Amino acid sequence: MEKYHVLVVEDDTEIANAIKIYLENQGYDVYVGNDGLEGLEIIEKETIHLAIVDIMMPRMDGLTMVSKLRERYDFPVIFLSAKSEDIDKIMGLNLGGDDYVTKPFVPMELMARVRSHLRRYGRYLDATAPKESDHVYICGGLELNVDTKTVSVDGKNVKVTPIEFKILELLMKNAGKVFSIDEIYEQIWNEDAYGSGSVVAVHIRHLREKIEINPSEPRYLKVVWGLGYKMEKEAKE
C-alpha cells in the first residue's frame, strides 16, 4: 500500500507540531487541522487513513467532528484529551472513536497505537482483493465473509468498523464459546487488557445495534453474566 495519510486535529499548535514530527519520522504523510471544521475540510479533500483528534477545541469540538465524519468514513480515530474519566472515554467511543489517549501522553505510546490501528485498517482495505474461495460464517440470518470483509443480516449488508468486524469474526469463528472481556481485548488489540472493560463493552453495544433487530433482546451476540460474551451457534427466531 502507498504511504499512510494521518490527520492530526489539535488546537494546541505546540502539541500538533510535536505529533506531526513524530508521525513524519515514522514515515507517514501528515495533515494538520486546528479544529473540527478544518479537520472535516481536509477529509473532504484528501485520502485519510487515520485521524488523531483532540476533544476540546474551538468552533467545532472533536466529538462533534467524529460524529459527522462517521456518517461517511470508517478509518480509525484516536481521541486525545486531558480528561481521564471513563465517562469521557465512553462518550468518545460511542460517537465512533476507536481508541483514546489521555494527555499528557508518551509520544512513542501514541505512535505504537497509530501503527497498530493502521495495520488493522490496512488489512481491512486489502482484504477485498479476489481470492480463490470465500470463508463465510453463518448464524441464523447473520453472515460474515472473511475474504470480502462484509457482514449481512437477513440478506442486507451492514456497515461495521474494522474493530467491530474483528470482534464479530472472533465470536462467529468460535460460536458457542464464551470470551471474557479481557480475552476479547487482548485478541483484538494485541495488548494487555488492563482497564479495557468499557472499550470492549462499547464496541459490543455498537455491534448489537447494527446486527440485532432488538438490541435489548439479542438473538446473536449474547452476554453470559459474570463471564463474558458469546455468539449463539443457532440463533432462535
Side-chain angles (χ1 to χ4, degrees), residues 178-196:
V178 179
F179 286 86
S180 69
I181 286 176
D182 286 354
E183 286 173 331
I184 293 173
Y185 189 90
E186 288 169 0
Q187 293 210 38
I188 302 303
W189 278 265
N190 294 316
E191 61 185 32
D192 184 72
Y194 178 75
S196 63

Side-chain angles (χ1 to χ4, degrees), residues 50-233:
L50 179 143
I52 299 171
V53 181
D54 187 30
I55 288 183
M56 300 301 293
M57 294 184 292
R59 292 210 302 167
M60 181 184 287
D61 61 63
L63 297 175
T64 303
M65 173 193 159
V66 171
S67 67
K68 288 182 178 296
L69 77 83
R70 276 293 178 249
E71 295 172 4
R72 295 179 54 192
Y73 303 96
D74 61 1
F75 55 76
V77 173
I78 300 175
F79 276 115
L80 293 179
S81 177
K83 298 180 179 180
S84 60
E85 292 84 355
D86 279 344
I87 188 65
D88 298 303
K89 296 180 182 181
I90 292 171
M91 185 180 297
L93 293 167
N94 277 338
L95 291 171
D98 296 278
D99 209 342
Y100 194 107
V101 175
T102 304
K103 300 177 185 176
F105 54 85
V106 177
M108 294 318 295
E109 178 191 352
L110 177 59
M111 295 303 105
R113 291 177 182 268
V114 168
R115 285 195 300 272
S116 177
H117 284 287
L118 284 175
R119 278 199 302 270
R120 281 194 292 269
Y121 190 57
R123 291 196 295 266
Y124 177 78
L125 293 176
D126 294 340
T128 55
K131 294 180 175 63
E132 289 185 1
S133 63
D134 290 345
H135 297 88
V136 180
Y137 296 89
I138 298 173
C139 176
L142 176 64
E143 182 174 309
L144 178 144
N145 189 310
V146 176
D147 290 340
T148 61
K149 291 294 185 285
T150 55
V151 175
S152 65
V153 179
D154 297 328
K156 295 180 180 179
N157 285 340
V158 176
K159 189 176 180 63
V160 298
T161 68
I163 284 184
E164 289 168 357
F165 186 92
K166 294 297 289 183
I167 293 173
L168 195 58
E169 179 184 358
L170 172 67
L171 296 176
M172 290 188 75
K173 278 185 176 180
N174 299 278
K177 178 179 177 180
V178 179
F179 286 86
S180 69
I181 286 176
D182 286 354
E183 286 173 331
I184 293 173
Y185 189 90
E186 288 169 0
Q187 293 210 38
I188 302 303
W189 278 265
N190 294 316
E191 61 185 32
D192 184 72
Y194 178 75
S196 63
S198 61
V199 175
V200 173
V202 168
H203 285 294
I204 291 287
R205 191 171 79 252
H206 285 170
L207 273 173
R208 279 180 166 167
E209 290 170 353
K210 294 176 180 181
I211 68 174
E212 304 284 1
I213 295 174
N214 182 359
S216 63
E217 297 181 7
R219 297 164 54 198
Y220 305 114
L221 217 171
K222 302 277 191 173
V223 63
V224 181
W225 295 109
L227 296 176
Y229 298 97
K230 71 172 182 177
M231 181 63 60
E232 287 283 34
K233 284 187 176 181

